[in-house]
Amino acid sequence: MSTVGVFASLFDQAGRILLVHHAYGSRHWSTPGGRVEPGESPLTALTREVTEEIACEIRISHLIGVYAKPYRDDFTLSFHATIVSGIPHACPPEISDVVFFSRDSLPPELEFTRRIRIEDAFGGCRGIVRVFDSADSLAPSFDTHVPSHAKA
């Protein structure tokens, strides 16, 4: 069965992106989000995951992109969102830290596909599709980008 993940790109007034540091597994940095549960819509899953991880309510504005890893039967939806209530803070036991990062100060250990998602968010992408063919692939095999200023 496919795994579907949903993640929120949240920016502060200074244009920095919010990342969470997971307190389990590989203890990686990522944008807030997680897995869509059976019977749950992606948007409902995203609002639930953000509330669980940083204790904030969000408003989802648009889809940044779809990121597929067919070799893992996995795909991720990345959304641009804004915080409408709450002050972001780490919610243990899942999250150990919450930090806003500028584009040039992202954690060096950030996993490659997460870094791509975050760079796409900083770049103002909308509706991008990236397909990564293998775990060894450092570049997507399929990549389409609609600039945020393009008109349909």
Side-chain angles (χ1 to χ4, degrees), residues 17-152:
I17 195 165
L18 185 141
L19 299 183
V20 297
H21 193 244
H22 289 264
Y24 62 89
S26 62
R27 302 186 188 285
H28 61 266
W29 286 97
S30 183
T31 51
R35 186 173 294 168
V36 177
E37 299 295 335
E40 188 176 41
S41 80
L43 300 180
T44 299
L46 184 58
T47 56
R48 174 184 53 75
E49 286 285 349
V50 169
T51 300
E52 288 174 3
E53 292 185 357
I54 65 168
C56 291
E57 288 184 37
I58 60 169
R59 178 178 304 116
I60 300 166
S61 59
H62 63 268
L63 176 70
I64 294 168
V66 177
Y67 304 84
K69 297 178 190 174
Y71 63 94
R72 288 185 52 195
D73 202 18
D74 173 80
F75 74 92
T76 297
L77 305 173
S78 178
F79 293 92
H80 183 276
T82 55
I83 295 171
V84 294
S85 72
I87 297 172
H89 64 275
C91 294
E94 190 173 349
I95 304 301
S96 62
D97 203 1
V98 174
V99 178
F100 281 97
F101 289 94
S102 65
R103 191 177 205 162
D104 61 351
S105 70
L106 293 171
E109 69 275 15
L110 197 58
E111 191 262 339
F112 177 75
T113 55
R114 287 186 185 97
R115 184 174 296 277
I116 294 288
R117 280 197 337 252
I118 291 165
E119 288 292 337
D120 287 346
F122 273 117
C125 293
R126 288 178 181 245
I128 194 163
V129 176
R130 296 190 190 271
V131 179
F132 298 90
D133 285 335
S134 71
D136 301 322
S137 171
L138 293 181
S141 64
F142 176 78
D143 183 346
T144 182
H145 177 258
V146 178
S148 61
H149 62 277
K151 297 193 180 190

